[in-house]
Amino acid sequence: MRVPLLDLSEQYRTLAEPIRAAIDAVLTSQRFILGSQVEALEKAIHVYCGAPHAVGVSSGTDALLTILMALGIGQSDAVITTAYSFFATAGCIARVGAKPLFVDIDPTTFNIRPSAIQEYIEKNCRTDSSGELKTTSGEKIRAIVPVHLFGLCCDMDAIHQISEQYQLDVIEDAAQAIGAEYPFGERTAKAGTMGEAGFFSFYPSKNLGAAGDAGMIICRDDQLARELRIFREHGMESRYYHRVIGGNFRLDEIQAAILAVKLPHLESWSAARRAAADFYRAEFVRAGLEKKITLPAEPYRDRGLRNHHIYHQYVVRTAKRDALREHLAKREIETAIYYPLGLHEQKCFAYLGYKKGDFPETERAARETLALPIYPEISRAAQRQVVGAIAEFFE
């Protein structure tokens, strides 16, 4: 039996009729850009997340780009982020003219390590006479971008202590983590709601996926929300009048309509992914494999949270990753590597001056991690086949 990494066909079969009806309603209306469907989805997302504002945009990448532009981050600025993430996180920082400052990850969660942020600031930064935090080369540090990787929230309490100490904005890259929860201070907070702004990607393979590119920004501040809406539409405040230079970052009506059909199912899909993760863990333990491969960490499992992890990916690690992947491929089990290089090793960032060995945990994760098949509808038979093939490899 072939086991795909992700299979969206069952989801579509279940929702095909309402999705087609939603698309047809948009076609009938002939309103395709920033209409009632986008407004309805924005309202639904801000209610779901518990955030005052939601702003629909064209992709997760454009969401981060819009946030950086609205906050005025650009030339002579710097932004701290993880060395282990999808390219867009650092790419957007560079695109606005700011300098990405990479730090290493926690080897257990693969998320940015707060103590690495603190260490970087203490070793490489200074506070000038005006109280601004600057790098030794003179860039003003403006923000921290933590990435909630694979559906697990970063240690946001520790990150906020650092951001408050140095007066830095926090922009949450929650592209893979819509609905994930974190025990933030005295409350349970959803991913994206713990910083100045947060954002989601609705790329088709995400837990909440569109039929193409789409994204959403959430924030608390009224003025920031207003600026985000201006920047997403070429910087227009009123039609054909441009106070600032923005971009074409608008969410399509058709994508909004599709996402509105899917959103009510997100909680049950997250629960199904978590159940599949629990089944994997039980099967790996039963097969005696928990000491041969490292299973995903669940640091908030016992903190009373429903969505302590939403398993956008189920990522294990082993020093024999490449051989294991080849073994699984021969048995028609699809896997993926997220990510084969640390961002500091990407050729386009060579100008930043990093070298191999600068971020050892990032580099080790890039060598050892492997994403196994997971999606809400995955069968237990398919999961047993995956575990059986891995057990066979280690025999």
Side-chain angles (χ1 to χ4, degrees):
M1 176 174 63
R2 176 180 172 273
V3 184
L5 183 70
L6 173 66
D7 184 357
L8 294 172
S9 60
E10 182 60 32
Q11 181 187 107
Y12 180 68
R13 278 194 295 270
T14 302
L15 297 177
E17 186 174 335
I19 285 175
R20 287 172 180 165
I23 293 172
D24 188 59
V26 174
L27 295 174
T28 300
S29 75
Q30 289 294 292
R31 177 71 185 269
F32 300 111
I33 304 295
L34 295 184
S36 61
Q37 299 291 338
V38 170
E39 291 174 3
L41 181 66
E42 289 174 340
K43 181 177 180 180
I45 292 290
H46 92 69
V47 169
Y48 174 74
C49 292
H53 301 283
V55 180
V57 290
S58 43
S59 69
T61 300
D62 289 340
L64 178 53
L65 197 58
T66 307
I67 294 167
L68 293 168
M69 293 169 74
L71 290 174
I73 295 174
Q75 294 287 340
S76 302
D77 293 331
V79 177
I80 297 171
T81 193
T82 173
Y84 189 62
S85 177
F86 180 59
F87 171 79
T89 308
C92 288
I93 296 167
R95 280 176 66 187
V96 297
K99 184 177 183 178
L101 303 175
F102 298 130
V103 300
D104 213 350
I105 59 170
D106 181 292
T108 302
T109 65
F110 307 121
N111 282 334
I112 193 168
R113 179 166 56 87
S115 60
I117 301 173
Q118 185 72 43
E119 290 164 10
Y120 178 87
I121 291 172
E122 291 176 355
K123 291 180 182 178
N124 301 284
C125 304
R126 57 181 174 78
T127 301
D128 67 11
S129 57
S130 64
E132 294 181 341
L133 184 67
K134 293 189 174 180
T135 65
T136 51
S137 51
E139 295 90 2
K140 179 182 177 181
I141 300 181
R142 295 286 307 280
I144 302 170
V145 181
V147 180
H148 303 314
L149 207 61
F150 306 141
L152 176 71
C153 286
C154 298
D155 183 352
M156 293 303 295
D157 282 328
I159 289 170
H160 262 276
Q161 287 179 4
I162 296 169
S163 71
E164 290 172 1
Q165 180 180 354
Y166 296 104
Q167 297 300 297
L168 305 176
D169 289 333
V170 174
I171 304 167
E172 292 178 70
D173 183 336
Q176 301 179 2
I178 185 169
E181 295 173 337
Y182 176 80
F184 189 54
E186 300 298 318
R187 67 183 176 95
T188 296
K190 279 190 165 70
T193 67
M194 295 171 278
E196 276 60 48
F199 66 92
F200 310 118
S201 167
F202 301 133
Y203 186 77
S205 64
K206 294 295 193 289
N207 292 27
L208 181 63
D213 280 314
M216 187 73 69
I217 303 167
I218 55 176
C219 68
R220 299 189 305 267
D221 185 75
D222 296 347
Q223 182 58 31
L224 177 57
R226 182 169 175 272
E227 291 293 304
L228 290 166
R229 295 182 188 281
I230 291 169
F231 272 94
R232 77 171 170 185
E233 195 168 17
H234 297 290
M236 286 194 295
E237 197 159 0
S238 56
R239 195 160 182 81
Y240 302 127
Y241 290 86
H242 303 259
R243 173 172 52 85
V244 294
I245 298 172
N248 183 7
F249 304 141
R250 301 171 301 208
L251 175 61
D252 290 342
E253 282 282 283
I254 286 178
Q255 300 298 352
I258 293 169
L259 290 163
V261 171
K262 290 185 172 186
L263 180 59
H265 302 273
L266 180 59
E267 285 290 295
S268 64
W269 290 340
S270 295
R273 284 174 176 270
R274 203 158 39 249
D278 288 346
F279 186 81
Y280 264 141
R281 186 176 297 273
E283 288 296 294
F284 281 127
V285 171
R286 185 184 62 80
L289 291 169
E290 74 275 17
K291 293 182 180 178
K292 296 181 179 180
I293 61 171
T294 302
L295 303 179
E298 296 183 330
Y300 318 125
R301 186 182 183 98
D302 299 324
R303 302 288 295 274
L305 307 178
R306 178 170 53 185
N307 290 319
H308 64 89
H309 201 315
I310 58 161
Y311 284 101
H312 174 58
Q313 303 293 349
Y314 189 89
V315 177
V316 300
R317 74 185 302 165
T318 170
K320 300 178 179 179
R321 189 271 308 279
D322 292 340
L324 173 59
R325 190 180 191 210
E326 182 179 351
H327 171 83
L328 295 175
K330 289 177 180 177
R331 282 145 186 81
E332 297 190 282
I333 296 170
E334 189 176 345
T335 60
I337 296 173
Y338 302 101
Y339 300 91
L341 286 177
L343 290 173
H344 66 293
E345 297 178 277
Q346 295 289 354
K347 189 174 182 180
C348 64
F349 290 131
Y351 72 93
L352 294 173
Y354 295 107
K355 63 184 185 301
K356 191 173 181 63
D358 282 348
F359 305 110
E361 292 301 340
T362 291
E363 293 170 24
R364 188 162 74 92
R367 292 192 307 269
E368 296 181 354
T369 55
L370 188 66
L372 302 181
I374 193 166
Y375 46 94
E377 300 82 10
I378 191 170
S379 71
R380 298 300 176 254
Q383 290 188 270
R384 289 191 186 96
Q385 184 174 333
V386 173
V387 175
I390 293 174
E392 179 186 44
F393 172 80
F394 282 104
E395 284 178 355

